[in-house]
């Protein structure tokens, strides 16, 4: 039998394989035409901790900061274990628990590794660099922007922090007079090249700002770590001031509605705060961000009304509070405090600078993105945290039982998580809806459930298999927690069900029982359509789609009008363009979303019934100032600018900078339709002044005669052609008098 210590040393390098293993698995899944390579990745990456468990010793001698940090992680996992059956959907909770258990195992394995921290840093950095180069190369050559982790952002989130730490270690080592090998210089040069390439090509025309920000914060953290041993007081004061500014700025950003540098991301944060307040003190279980569309807060309602939804709050602290309440948030904060203390206690100045830079960069990405909602990035983060804990510190040591805790917690959870992913992992790209439904039932990842469910629904509705589509929709209720895109799919399926039953009713009944069956189910289908249309209106109140379905139903079945809420009945009357309605009045400012919805409906009525344009424009201006980031508000503005006199709409054109997000969230077909229907050069010049701001990147491409952005679909081509036509019309000279 081999020496347990040497066996531990050999197997303790398993965590460094997370990213390379993910690279291989995703490539194999893509080449084998698996429907969701991400599911295959989640299944097989989740099994890495099982191999790591073999190598864990019974006890480890750790310093107090390391032991305390691992203890906080164990407490958090125990709370998640208790929460599995109490809050939210239990199968989704098991998936999260399995991921965090795997990260704990890999982190503990690295933290107790007999291999030096310096060698671990180099190994992790090389693994990240190789994977990063491969991913960027696939992006530039094959055109697949999601290789390795399933999202173009995730590889930067995972690889950049450890590359920054490697650079901080090399600079600090050189500063301390130690020799840095030539291969480090070559490796860091390659890392710089691939980082710059990724920043400016991952999404053409939109540099990866999070990478730039995390690099700057990592550099500041490394400098502070270098100054810590000599100027502890001033360094601590400077860090406290920076932290106070950051916390105050974040609070002001969330509270101030006029601060909107990235409207969608800010809305997610504000909506998450509304969701946290609604679900205190215990949270609502894994993926609670899916339920933000049902939260009553203004920010959550506004973002839901845009049709956007998310699995994650794009901020780990907010997500912990949203999912697991006060205890989850307290564990996240305690973990961060433990890691800060550990980094500052590291004796070696080069390793202290590297660990501090790594922690700072990870913190930035954890605060701004959603990568750590997926298995591979979380396991990789566990390995990086293990490296920080491995660095020798000045604190006293203690003996900690590792194997019994890890085996009792991790083995059942990790195996359960892998078991649930077995259905979706091997589904073929052209699998039947029945096979996709098996994957929906088994998966504990709502992202995979939605993608499989959407593919199944599209095929079932294309084949007019409405009963199967109803069953698929019912299956999606569990992983998507009755929220997200289900509101839209419910309306589509309900309409198709009514249509299908109506077509069946036109055929001769084979028996009296069949006729009774069709009559009964037609009534049930109408009731389902009535409920689905109201749910659509509640979630997307600015959209006309739900009202149109409701009005068509009421014309066919007038008795349903009696059951409508008063506010919905009133708005539906305006959207029906009835001429006998009273002239509306508008406030000078819109303080709530309900006021904005009422104004939008009434302005649509005024535009449709031929009312004068000046009062419409006067009422639209404050609506745009407050809700110009909404695509339906922008759609109404574009209609007014297209139809009204150019001199009348001048106040709206001056607000184009407030409509950037809304214009870019408009459905591309609707935007192409607006651009196609421009008739006069004067209206074209007015619209061109708006689109030159809202679509500034495309406008610059026209001026330079270049193509910088990817053209992904026929809809993109239609928008691009429409904008080119609009620009040509706007550049025409007015005829001489």
């Amino acid at each position: 039998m081999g020496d347990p210590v040497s066996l531990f040393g050999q197997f303790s390098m398993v965590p460094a394989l997370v990213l390379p293993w993910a690279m291989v698995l995703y490539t194999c899944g893509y080449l084998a035409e698996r429907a969701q390579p991400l599911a295959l990745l989640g299944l097989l990456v989740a099994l890495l901790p099982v191999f790591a468990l073999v190598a864990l010793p019974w006890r480890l001698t750790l310093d107090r900061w390391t032991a305390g940090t691992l203890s906080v992680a164990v407490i958090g996992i125990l709370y998640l274990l208790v929460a599995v059956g109490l809050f939210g959907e239990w199968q989704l909770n098991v998936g999260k628990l399995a991921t965090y258990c795997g990260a704990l195992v890999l982190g503990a394995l690295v933290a107790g590794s007999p291999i030096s921290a310096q060698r671990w840093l180099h190994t992790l950095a090389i693994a990240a660099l190789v994977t990063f180069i491969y991913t960027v190369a696939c992006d530039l050559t094959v055109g697949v922007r999601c290789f390795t982790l399933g999202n173009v952002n995730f590889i930067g989130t995972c690889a950049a922090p450890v590359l920054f730490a490697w650079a901080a270690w090399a600079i600090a080592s050189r500063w301390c007079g130690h020799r840095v090998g030539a291969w480090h210089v070559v490796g860091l040069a390659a890392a710089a090249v691939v980082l710059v390439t990724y920043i400016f090509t991952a999404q053409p025309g939109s540099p990866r700002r999070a990478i730039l920000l995390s690099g700057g914060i990592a550099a500041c953290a490394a400098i502070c770590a270098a100054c810590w041993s000599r100027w502890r007081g001033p360094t601590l004061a400077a860090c406290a001031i920076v932290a106070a500014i950051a916390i105050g700025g974040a609070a002001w950003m969330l509270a101030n509605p006029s601060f909107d540098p990235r409207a969608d991301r800010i809305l997610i944060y504000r909506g998450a705060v509304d969701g946290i307040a609604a679900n205190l003190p215990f949270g609502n279980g894994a993926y609670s961000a899916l339920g933000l569309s049902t939260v009553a807060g203004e920010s959550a309602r506004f973002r839901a009304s845009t049709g956007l939804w998310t699995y994650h709050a794009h901020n780990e602290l907010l997500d912990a509070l949203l999912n697991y309440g006060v205890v989850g948030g307290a564990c996240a904060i305690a973990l961060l405090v433990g890691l800060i203390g550990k980094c500052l206690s590291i004796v070696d100045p080069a390793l202290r600078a590297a660990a501090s830079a790594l922690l700072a960069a990870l913190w930035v990405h954890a605060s701004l993105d959603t990568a750590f909602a997926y298995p591979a990035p979380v396991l990789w983060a566990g390995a990086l945290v293990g490296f920080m804990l491995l660095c020798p510190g000045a604190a006293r040591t203690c003996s900690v039982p590792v194997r019994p805790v890890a085996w009792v917690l991790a083995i059942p959870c990790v195996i359960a998580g892998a078991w649930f992913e077995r259905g979706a992992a091997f589904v073929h790209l052209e699998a039947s809806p029945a096979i996709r439904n098996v994957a929906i039932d088994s998966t504990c990842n709502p992202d995979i459930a939605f993608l499989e469910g959407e593919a199944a629904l599209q095929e079932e509705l294309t084949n007019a298999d409405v009963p199967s589509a109803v069953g698929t929709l019912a299956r999606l209720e569990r992983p998507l927690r009755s929220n997200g895109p289900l509101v839209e799919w419910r309306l589509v399926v309900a309409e198709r069900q009514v249509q299908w039953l109506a077509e069946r009713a036109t055929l001769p009944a084979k028996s009296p029982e069949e006729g009774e069956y069709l009559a009964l189910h037609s009534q049930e289908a109408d009731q389902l359509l009535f409920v689905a249309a109201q749910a659509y209106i509640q979630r997307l109140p600015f959209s006309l789609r739900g009202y149109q379905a409701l009005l068509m139903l009421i014309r066919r079945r007038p008795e349903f009008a009696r059951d409508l809420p008063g506010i919905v009945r009133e708005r539906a009357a305006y959207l029906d363009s009835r001429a006998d309605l009273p002239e509306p009045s508008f406030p000078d400012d819109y303080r709530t979303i309900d006021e904005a919805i009422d104004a939008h409906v009434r302005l649509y009525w005024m535009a449709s019934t031929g009312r004068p344009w000046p009062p419409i424009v006067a009422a639209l201006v404050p609506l745009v100032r407050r809700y110009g980031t909404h695509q339906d508000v922008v759609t109404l503005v574009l209609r007014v600018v297209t139809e009204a006199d150019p001199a009348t709409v001048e106040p709206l054109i001056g607000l184009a900078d407030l409509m950037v997000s809304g214009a870019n969230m408009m459905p591309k077909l609707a935007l192409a339709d607006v651009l196609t229907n421009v008739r006069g050069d004067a209206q074209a010049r007015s619209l061109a002044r708006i689109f030159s701001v809202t679509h500034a990147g495309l406008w610059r491409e026209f001026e330079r005669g270049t193509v910088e952005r990817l053209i992904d679909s026929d809809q993109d081509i239609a928008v691009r052609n429409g904008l080119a036509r609009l620009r040509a019309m706007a550049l025409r000279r007015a005829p001489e008098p």
Side-chain angles (χ1 to χ4, degrees), residues 165-191:
W166 190 16
W169 171 85
I171 294 171
S173 296
R174 194 72 185 89
W175 183 265
C176 294
H178 301 304
R179 182 178 176 274
V180 176
W183 74 269
H184 291 289
V185 177
V186 173
L188 288 170

Side-chain angles (χ1 to χ4, degrees), residues 309-333:
W309 55 282
T310 183
Y311 307 103
H312 191 271
H314 288 67
N315 180 288
E316 287 302 316
L317 177 58
L318 291 178
D319 207 54
L321 289 165
L322 187 62
N323 292 345
Y324 303 111
V326 175
V327 176
C331 287
I333 294 172

Side-chain angles (χ1 to χ4, degrees), residues 382-565:
L384 298 183
V385 168
F387 155 73
M388 292 183 245
L389 299 179
L390 174 63
C391 296
R396 292 180 298 172
T397 59
C398 59
S399 181
V400 179
V402 174
R403 180 181 288 181
V405 175
W407 281 45
V408 170
L409 286 180
I411 286 183
C413 297
V414 170
I415 292 178
W419 174 258
F420 285 133
E421 290 302 333
R422 76 196 187 283
F426 303 103
V427 174
H428 192 270
L429 193 62
E430 298 179 359
S432 66
I435 295 176
R436 295 185 189 277
N437 284 334
V438 172
I440 294 170
D441 289 337
S442 67
T443 186
C444 49
N445 187 332
D447 189 5
I448 293 170
F450 166 67
L451 294 172
E452 296 288 3
E454 188 175 48
L457 284 169
Q458 288 174 349
E459 184 173 346
E460 288 163 343
L461 293 177
T462 300
N463 297 332
D465 188 2
V466 177
S468 296
V470 173
T472 299
L473 194 62
R475 282 185 168 87
L476 286 171
E477 297 281 348
R478 177 196 63 79
L480 295 183
R481 305 182 63 156
S482 303
N483 297 299
L486 285 186
V487 171
E488 301 171 50
W489 274 113
R490 280 197 204 102
L491 183 57
V492 171
V493 173
E495 289 177 325
R496 292 295 297 272
Q497 188 175 20
V498 169
Q499 179 185 355
W500 180 74
L501 288 169
E503 291 173 354
R504 288 282 302 273
T506 61
L507 302 175
K510 296 179 181 178
S511 65
E513 290 78 9
E514 183 181 0
E516 294 175 3
Y517 171 87
L518 290 175
L520 177 62
H521 279 72
S522 294
Q523 295 177 4
E524 293 179 355
D526 286 340
Q527 182 64 38
L528 290 174
L529 177 58
F530 182 67
V531 173
Q534 288 191 83
Y536 190 99
I537 290 169
Q538 183 178 5
R539 180 169 177 243
L540 303 166
F542 287 92
S543 175
L544 307 182
R545 173 85 169 80
Y547 288 102
Q548 290 169 347
L550 196 60
L551 288 169
M552 290 180 64
L553 176 63
I554 290 174
R555 291 190 188 103
R556 187 163 49 84
R557 299 280 300 274
E559 64 271 19
F560 279 112
R562 296 192 301 268
D563 298 327
L564 278 178

Side-chain angles (χ1 to χ4, degrees), residues 69-70 73-74 77 99-109 379 382 405-406 409:
T69 303
L70 290 176
V74 171
I77 286 176
T99 302
Y100 291 141
C101 281
L104 174 63
V105 169
L106 296 188
L109 187 61
L379 294 180
V405 175
L409 286 180

Side-chain angles (χ1 to χ4, degrees), residues 637-694:
V637 170
L638 295 179
R639 176 184 176 182
V640 171
V641 173
T642 302
E643 299 179 8
D645 181 71
T648 306
V649 299
E650 195 65 32
L652 293 175
I653 297 173
L655 301 176
D657 59 320
L658 300 178
M659 296 185 274
V660 174
S661 297
N664 283 278
M665 284 194 294
M666 282 181 63
K668 292 177 181 178
L669 287 178
L671 183 56
D673 186 60
V674 169
L675 295 169
T676 303
N677 291 324
V678 179
R679 294 289 177 258
D681 292 350
Q683 282 78 13
R685 280 188 282 272
S686 298
L687 282 173
R689 292 170 60 190
I690 294 177
F691 283 113
S692 64
V693 176
T694 60

